[in-house]
Amino acid sequence: MNRKTLAYLVFLILLAFVPVLGIYPIFVMKIMCYALFACAFNLLLGYTGLLSFGHAAFLGTSAYTLGHAIKVWGFSPEIAMVIAVLASGLLGLAIGALAIKRSGIYFAMITLAMSQMVFFFFLQAKFTGGEDGLQGVPRGLLFGLVDLKNDINLYYLVLFIFAAAYFLIWRVVHSPFGQVLKALRENEARTISLGYDVDRFKLLAFVLSAMLAGLAGATKTLVFVSATLSDATWQMSGLVVLMTLVGGMGTLVGPVIGAFIIVLLENKVGDFGAALYDWTGVEWFSHLGESVTIVIGLIFVVCVLAFRKGIVGELNAWFERKQMERT
């Protein structure tokens, strides 16, 4: 067993003991949902070299589909989740088939435009609840046995989904298919010269990334028993880009670290400002409200400027330099 595998197992065991340690499970489940979303996006950007500005469309589509399937159609959670992931995959196939015909900034703009079309569809459609969204989505019974109303039961389901999806991404990255994706990222012209159908590989990577993003959206709906327009906004697409860049694109652990940092900042920056006010009597940013994103944005700018490869990427580069110095 190598060190990375051992580290993964230790991390998984620590996550399994979160409810025992008294940590609020909903908060950790939120991190895992966003971490899965970031890992799905990283498969496309970090390993294939395709920058999508429309990944929130898949998160939102899956969220609304699962909520509607459970609340209106009366499906069980596991069946609803399969339907939701397939819906995201079909949408990914439609958008991907159009987007891969272009590259670079044109690819990014096509995904953004299509994502905005999906957003306005959700805004006007009756089944989504409009600006109110789908509220009060019942969690139901998993396989008719496990009551997901219990946060602890739901936590271990989310942990299983996150671990299984992460292992799937790891397996894809280290497979021959993943090696072709890396070759595409590094030199597309050379990959074509080797006889690979690059459009087919791009489309497969896009659909797989969309389905994994959809899995994150469906899981998020189960956790928060709601699906809202915020899941499909362009801001959500930008957020997942930041998660990947801050953590380190092209690394497996980077998006997880990035998601943890961003979710932690979103939840704790205001609390930190209130604590500073209590301590110093000066209103730092305790009453900024929604404008607290300015502070988070400044932190992101500093991270991007100081860590061009992301946190994990810079750490990997530092360890490589140390190993070279020793040899």
Side-chain angles (χ1 to χ4, degrees):
M1 182 182 297
N2 57 39
R3 292 181 179 179
K4 286 187 178 180
T5 304
L6 181 60
Y8 287 146
L9 290 176
V10 171
F11 179 67
L12 188 61
I13 292 171
L14 288 175
L15 284 178
F17 278 96
V18 161
V20 180
L21 298 175
I23 302 174
Y24 189 44
I26 297 295
F27 177 69
V28 182
M29 284 189 282
K30 180 179 180 180
I31 293 175
M32 286 192 285
C33 290
Y34 279 108
L36 176 55
F37 185 33
C39 288
F41 177 78
N42 183 54
L43 181 63
L44 190 65
L45 175 62
Y47 290 99
T48 314
L50 298 175
L51 174 59
S52 169
F53 272 128
H55 250 52
F58 311 123
L59 187 81
T61 296
S62 185
Y64 278 117
T65 303
L66 181 130
H68 194 77
I70 294 178
K71 189 175 182 178
V72 179
W73 296 337
F75 286 117
S76 60
E78 65 278 4
I79 296 177
M81 187 165 289
V82 171
I83 295 173
V85 172
L86 289 176
S88 294
L90 288 174
L91 181 63
L93 181 63
I95 295 178
L98 178 64
I100 62 170
K101 297 181 183 298
R102 295 293 181 265
S103 60
I105 189 64
Y106 302 104
F107 175 89
M109 290 300 100
I110 289 173
T111 57
L112 176 60
M114 298 298 290
S115 177
Q116 286 299 97
M117 290 175 62
V118 173
F119 168 78
F120 284 111
F121 169 75
F122 288 150
L123 178 62
Q124 298 177 7
K126 293 182 179 180
F127 77 93
T128 63
E131 294 183 354
D132 296 328
L134 283 176
Q135 304 293 332
V137 178
R139 292 174 176 173
L141 298 175
L142 184 67
F143 299 112
L145 300 173
V146 182
D147 187 6
L148 297 182
K149 293 179 182 178
N150 187 314
D151 287 345
I152 304 302
N153 293 340
L154 180 63
Y155 175 83
Y156 286 111
L157 172 63
V158 175
L159 177 59
F160 173 78
I161 291 172
F162 172 72
Y166 189 88
F167 174 76
L168 174 63
I169 294 172
W170 176 86
R171 188 68 189 89
V172 168
V173 168
H174 291 89
S175 68
F177 174 73
Q179 299 305 313
V180 175
L181 295 184
K182 292 177 185 177
L184 272 172
R185 178 193 63 190
E186 298 298 330
N187 193 326
E188 183 175 339
R190 184 179 181 185
T191 308
I192 294 173
S193 68
L194 292 173
Y196 290 103
D197 186 350
V198 295
D199 286 345
R200 184 166 62 92
F201 279 93
K202 285 181 181 179
L203 185 58
L204 285 172
F206 194 93
V207 172
L208 180 58
S209 179
M211 293 180 73
L212 288 168
L215 181 60
T219 307
K220 183 173 177 288
T221 299
L222 277 181
V223 173
F224 294 102
V225 297
S226 64
T228 62
L229 282 173
S230 62
D231 296 329
T233 59
W234 66 267
Q235 290 93 333
M236 182 64 72
S237 295
L239 195 65
V240 75
V241 174
L242 288 174
M243 291 178 187
T244 306
L245 292 179
V246 169
M249 70 175 185
T251 64
L252 287 170
V253 182
V256 179
I257 302 298
F260 171 76
I261 292 173
I262 290 177
V263 173
L264 190 66
L265 287 174
E266 282 190 333
N267 284 271
K268 297 302 180 184
V269 164
D271 296 341
F272 179 64
L276 282 178
Y277 175 74
D278 293 338
W279 182 43
T280 64
V282 180
E283 294 184 1
W284 293 82
F285 40 81
S286 57
H287 303 293
L288 285 178
E290 292 295 327
S291 299
V292 77
T293 52
I294 297 174
V295 178
I296 298 176
L298 290 174
I299 295 172
F300 290 154
V301 169
V302 171
C303 288
V304 171
L305 290 176
F307 307 102
R308 297 290 298 274
K309 298 179 181 179
I311 295 174
V312 176
E314 291 291 344
L315 287 174
N316 288 339
W318 182 79
F319 280 119
E320 288 178 1
R321 288 195 299 268
K322 288 295 182 181
Q323 288 180 351
M324 291 178 65
E325 290 174 2
R326 291 175 183 174
T327 56

